Amino acid sequence: MALLVIGSDRAKAFGETAATFAPDRDVRVWPDVGAAEEITAALAWGPEPGELAKLPNLQLIVSVGAGVDHLFRDDKLPAVPIVRYVDPDLTGRMTEYVVLHALMHSRRMLEFRDLQAAGIWRYLPEPAASEVRVGIMGLGVLGQDAAAVLSRIGYRVRGWSRSLKSIDGVICFAGEKELPDFLAETDILVVLLPLTPDTRGMINAGLLGRLSKFGRSQRMPGPVLINAGRGGLQVEADILAALEDKSLYAASLDVFETEPLPKSSPLWQHPRVVVTPHNAAESANESIVRYFLDRVADIEAGRPLPNIVDPSRQY
């Protein structure tokens, strides 16, 4: 039976890596599908709608990334198990990104960069990590790992999710009812939510306006947003407006409503915005392919699949 790599701009590299790791496997790279009935598993990222439905014996879809919203754009998606990519490589890279940007903003490095460019030697007050409350929206594998590392550094970590979680050292909130309380005492907001119909556009003016006013009267200039989740979570016009009216001091954005981010976007030039090209957790080809091959082995051996997506929730 054959395996298919489809949709990703790294599809050819994934196919070559799979051929190296599993030379006995018949690995095909779309659009060179061959006999469609021979394909039993697909490693996919944003495939053309309807393409997966052409595989009559498909038993498994593995997402190239932790997010699966790219698959649910297809209204003909086959009713087979979908597995999210969850791997120490991805988790570690995401945590590195979150910690890097939390430190950068709490230590006011954007301002020190501007002072350096102007040749100005000036002290700016900086809070200790223990004075800063970091709120993480999304407490899955990625959110929990980031919370653990931020806590070890000394940040006061809070978390919010749709359903209540219990995490050592983290004050947890859940559901719409507890969201205002979570936001009111969050100085740095880290967004790691999946993109679903319920979360689309959630990072908007109403939410940003509820963030802590801690920084305005104490050591941070104002609240900060770090979005390394999905671009569809945020309303970029509202982020820009919040930056202008000072309800938001700065932002690190790794994901955008349109990707690549259009050159016309004012986010590129904003002095208090850090733009990165959706690379917060860009995992190595080898890690993704090994994960895919392991899941194929699971289904062939009849073992339970990890990280299965609930189609009704789309995560």
Side-chain angles (χ1 to χ4, degrees):
M1 305 304 285
L3 312 179
L4 180 67
V5 182
I6 184 170
S8 171
D9 57 7
R10 292 192 281 167
K12 183 178 178 182
F14 290 149
E16 292 170 349
T17 302
T20 300
F21 288 167
D24 56 327
R25 294 282 191 181
D26 180 1
V27 181
R28 303 172 188 176
V29 178
W30 189 88
D32 298 325
V33 174
E37 67 275 10
E38 296 175 351
I39 294 170
T40 57
L43 177 63
W45 180 266
E48 292 290 329
E51 288 300 311
L52 292 173
K54 296 177 182 178
L55 309 175
N57 294 315
L58 190 68
Q59 300 174 32
L60 171 69
I61 300 169
V62 176
S63 173
V64 168
V68 293
D69 53 285
H70 60 97
L71 294 170
F72 286 98
R73 296 171 193 156
D74 185 351
D75 60 6
K76 297 180 181 178
L77 195 63
V80 301
I82 299 171
V83 173
R84 295 180 295 111
Y85 173 58
V86 177
D87 185 84
D89 182 65
L90 181 148
T91 302
R93 290 170 189 260
M94 180 62 81
T95 294
E96 290 169 8
Y97 184 94
V98 169
V99 172
L100 168 69
H101 288 263
L103 284 167
M104 178 175 62
H105 290 297
S106 66
R107 296 301 301 266
R108 303 181 68 171
M109 294 306 297
L110 294 184
E111 294 161 276
F112 284 122
R113 179 195 62 186
D114 292 343
L115 290 171
Q116 178 182 345
I120 298 172
W121 182 282
R122 179 182 298 162
Y123 168 78
L124 297 174
E126 306 164 62
S130 60
E131 298 176 272
V132 179
R133 298 163 298 186
V134 180
I136 301 175
M137 295 185 76
L139 294 175
V141 173
L142 301 181
Q144 290 190 36
D145 192 73
V149 177
L150 288 164
S151 294
R152 286 201 296 272
I153 292 171
Y155 287 106
R156 295 154 61 187
V157 181
R158 308 156 64 76
W160 180 89
S161 54
R162 288 290 181 184
S163 57
L164 187 62
K165 302 290 196 302
S166 178
I167 304 169
D168 288 346
V170 178
I171 303 171
C172 293
F173 299 78
E176 293 295 331
K177 185 177 180 180
E178 295 185 359
L179 183 58
D181 289 340
F182 164 78
L183 294 169
E185 295 191 11
T186 290
D187 309 309
I188 298 177
L189 178 65
V190 177
V191 182
L192 297 175
L193 291 167
L195 179 59
T196 70
D198 290 337
T199 62
R200 183 172 294 278
M202 189 175 186
I203 310 305
N204 55 29
L207 183 144
L208 295 172
R210 293 177 175 179
L211 288 171
S212 164
K213 307 303 183 287
F214 163 93
R216 299 178 191 178
S217 60
Q218 299 189 41
R219 304 192 76 181
M220 283 183 69
V224 170
L225 168 67
I226 301 171
N227 185 7
R230 312 300 292 169
L233 297 168
Q234 67 194 24
V235 179
E236 286 158 21
D238 288 4
I239 292 173
L240 286 162
L243 288 163
E244 292 309 306
D245 70 17
K246 303 297 192 298
S247 55
L248 188 65
Y249 178 69
S252 287
L253 305 176
D254 185 56
V255 290
F256 303 91
E257 293 176 64
T258 300
E259 295 184 4
L261 182 64
K263 292 183 178 180
S264 59
S265 172
L267 292 169
W268 282 112
Q269 304 301 326
H270 199 288
R272 285 177 280 115
V273 174
V274 178
V275 170
T276 53
H278 204 148
N279 71 325
E282 186 78 354
S283 294
N285 294 348
E286 292 80 5
S287 297
I288 294 169
V289 170
R290 285 191 188 280
Y291 184 85
F292 174 50
L293 293 173
D294 286 347
R295 301 294 74 77
V296 172
D298 286 341
I299 208 163
E300 289 175 341
R303 292 189 292 264
L305 289 165
N307 308 310
I308 291 182
V309 173
D310 179 347
S312 68
R313 295 185 177 184
Q314 298 189 10
Y315 67 88

